[in-house]
């Protein structure tokens, strides 16, 4: 087989998808780079302006007045809790401290100043990926839903389109009839779509970082460049994983509307399942839920060793998806066009898996309690098991209806005809 010729054919097919998504990625990276750094300069200019100093002096006056008012209240009533409640009503309770030596309340000046943002010395003032991402200077970590990044969104679209459109537009039928091996066709499709998209993404990341480092003084970026680069490598691996989710979905799904909805639901389910695993990990380790939502595993576990472990896990899942895609691609039937799932033998199994997955993602979270020690069997049954069973039954029935809608439509039609006769 002429592999180069096959690559030219598949590249011509996927080129509009890859280039349009790639150009959009680069444009977004440029926009985020300039917009975020412009905002940083605007804030810095304000921080060092006379207007900011006037604001700050005004806040100091407000602080002194609030302290005097609260201490006067405490002196009159000697009611500690009442004074705290009074301070909360005056919007000063967040800064309030009581000094037992002097018997007076005071507002912590440093906390007060930091709250209003007038003494921020550095852009990223701790060596933490969480701060780096939260300031929205890196386009690759821009999230659409929890940990599902914008980068992964583009990759999953690419994977779904290159497999789904090839099937829907009879392109695969032409390739199959030309004598090419299905395994080689799939490899060529992946090679000509995923590899260019990765290189374009690397270009977009480089442009974004170049804008950041050229427009913001290095001393204000208190996070190592080598970790920033490695962090982006991790995000690229996750994006490649989502590419194969899209590719696999495009192979097994045969309908546009229900296929897209299923893909969206699966993405939501992954993020919810990840949070459930966090809660389970917290229970096993004996830790309370700290109430902080970590948008990425690579932010929660911010070390090289943890990142390598997570990358290994992502690579393993990606390999499994690739092998699964290859397995189903070899057995893809052109006669199942129009059905929700294109593989009749696997419809029951996929429906069961989908029901279990949806059930756990929506009802498997056992971290709603403030302290895990307060969770009881009755709590788990009422808030997890019963809702989980209901979600499973509803999801399974929905999948079975989608898989057999033609038969159901025929039976309903027959019943209507018989009734009319």
């Amino acid at each position: 087989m002429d592999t180069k010729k096959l690559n030219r054919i598949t590249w011509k097919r996927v080129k509009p998808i890859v280039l349009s998504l790639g150009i959009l990625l680069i444009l977004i990276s440029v926009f985020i780079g300039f917009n975020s750094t412009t905002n940083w300069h605007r804030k810095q200019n304000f921080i060092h302006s006379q207007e900011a100093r006037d604001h700050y002096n005004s806040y100091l006056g407000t602080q002194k007045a609030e302290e005097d008012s609260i201490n006067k209240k405490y002196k009159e009533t000697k009611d500690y809790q009442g004074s705290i409640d009074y301070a909360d009503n005056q919007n000063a309770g967040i800064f309030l401290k009581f000094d037992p030596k002097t018997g007076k309340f005071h507002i912590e000046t440093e906390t007060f100043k930091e709250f209003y943002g007038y003494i921020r010395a550095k852009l990223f003032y701790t060596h933490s990926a969480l701060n780096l991402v939260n300031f929205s200077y890196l386009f690759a970590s821009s999230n659409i839903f929890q940990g599902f990044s914008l980068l992964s969104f583009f990759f999953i679209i690419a994977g779904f389109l290159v497999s789904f459109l090839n099937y829907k537009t009879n392109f695969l039928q032409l390739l199959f009839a030309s004598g090419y091996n299905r395994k080689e066709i799939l490899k060529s499709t992946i090679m000509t779509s995923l590899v260019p998209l990765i290189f374009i993404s690397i270009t977009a990341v480089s442009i974004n970082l170049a804008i950041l480092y050229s427009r913001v003084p290095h001393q204000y970026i208190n996070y190592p460049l080598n970790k920033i680069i490695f962090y982006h490598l991790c995000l690229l691996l996750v994006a490649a994983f989502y590419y194969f989710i899209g590719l696999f979905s495009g192979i097994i799904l045969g309908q546009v509307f229900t296929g897209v909805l299923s893909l969206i639901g699966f993405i939501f389910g992954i993020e919810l399942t990840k949070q459930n695993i966090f809660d389970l990990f917290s229970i096993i380790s004996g830790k309370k839920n700290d109430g902080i939502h970590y948008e990425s595993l690579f932010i929660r576990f911010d070390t090289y060793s943890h990142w390598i472990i997570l990358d290994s896990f992502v690579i393993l899942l990606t390999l499994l998806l690739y092998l699964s895609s290859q397995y189903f691609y070899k057995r893809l039937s052109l006669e199942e066009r129009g059905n929700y799932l294109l593989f009749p033998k696997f419809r029951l199994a996929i429906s069961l898996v989908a029901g279990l997955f949806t059930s756990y993602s929506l009802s498997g979270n056992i971290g709603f309690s403030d302290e895990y020690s307060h969770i009881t069997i009755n709590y788990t049954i009422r808030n997890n098991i019963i809702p989980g069973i209901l979600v499973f039954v509803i999801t399974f029935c929905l999948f079975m209806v989608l898989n057999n809608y033609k038969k159901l439509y025929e039976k309903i039609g027959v019943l209507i005809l018989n009734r009319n006769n």
Side-chain angles (χ1 to χ4, degrees), residues 257-271:
F257 182 71
T258 54
V260 172
L261 286 181
S262 299
L263 196 57
I264 294 172
F266 186 63
I267 293 169
F268 275 82
I270 288 177
E271 293 303 319

Side-chain angles (χ1 to χ4, degrees), residues 287-290 366-375 379:
K287 296 180 180 180
K288 298 178 183 179
N289 191 335
D290 56 14
I366 52 180
F368 294 133
S369 176
D370 293 334
E371 296 183 6
Y372 292 118
S373 58
H374 290 172
I375 295 177
Y379 177 92

Side-chain angles (χ1 to χ4, degrees), residues 46 136 146 168 195 253 274 285 298 349 374 386 399 412:
F46 175 73
S136 302
Q146 294 189 7
K168 294 293 288 185
V195 174
L253 298 172
K274 184 183 70 176
S285 62
F298 299 100
H374 290 172
I386 293 177
F399 268 72
I412 293 173

Side-chain angles (χ1 to χ4, degrees), residues 318-336:
T318 303
L319 179 61
L320 290 174
L321 272 173
Y322 168 70
L323 294 176
S324 299
S325 300
Q326 193 177 85
Y327 175 86
F328 282 97
Y329 196 78
K330 290 180 180 179
R331 292 159 179 78
L332 186 61
S333 173
L334 299 175
E335 298 176 358
E336 293 294 326

Side-chain angles (χ1 to χ4, degrees), residues 122-140:
K122 295 190 175 183
L123 182 62
F124 310 128
Y125 45 85
T126 63
H127 292 271
S128 169
L130 183 62
N131 286 306
L132 178 67
V133 171
N134 283 347
F135 281 108
S136 302
Y137 289 89
L138 304 179
F139 99 97

Side-chain angles (χ1 to χ4, degrees), residues 311-353:
D311 285 339
S312 301
F313 185 66
V314 171
I315 291 172
L316 176 61
L317 290 178
T318 303
L319 179 61
L320 290 174
L321 272 173
Y322 168 70
L323 294 176
S324 299
S325 300
Q326 193 177 85
Y327 175 86
F328 282 97
Y329 196 78
K330 290 180 180 179
R331 292 159 179 78
L332 186 61
S333 173
L334 299 175
E335 298 176 358
E336 293 294 326
R337 186 184 305 276
N339 287 317
Y340 173 62
L341 291 174
L342 301 178
F343 300 88
K345 294 182 180 179
F346 294 92
R347 285 171 184 163
L348 178 60
I350 293 176
S351 299
L352 287 171
V353 172

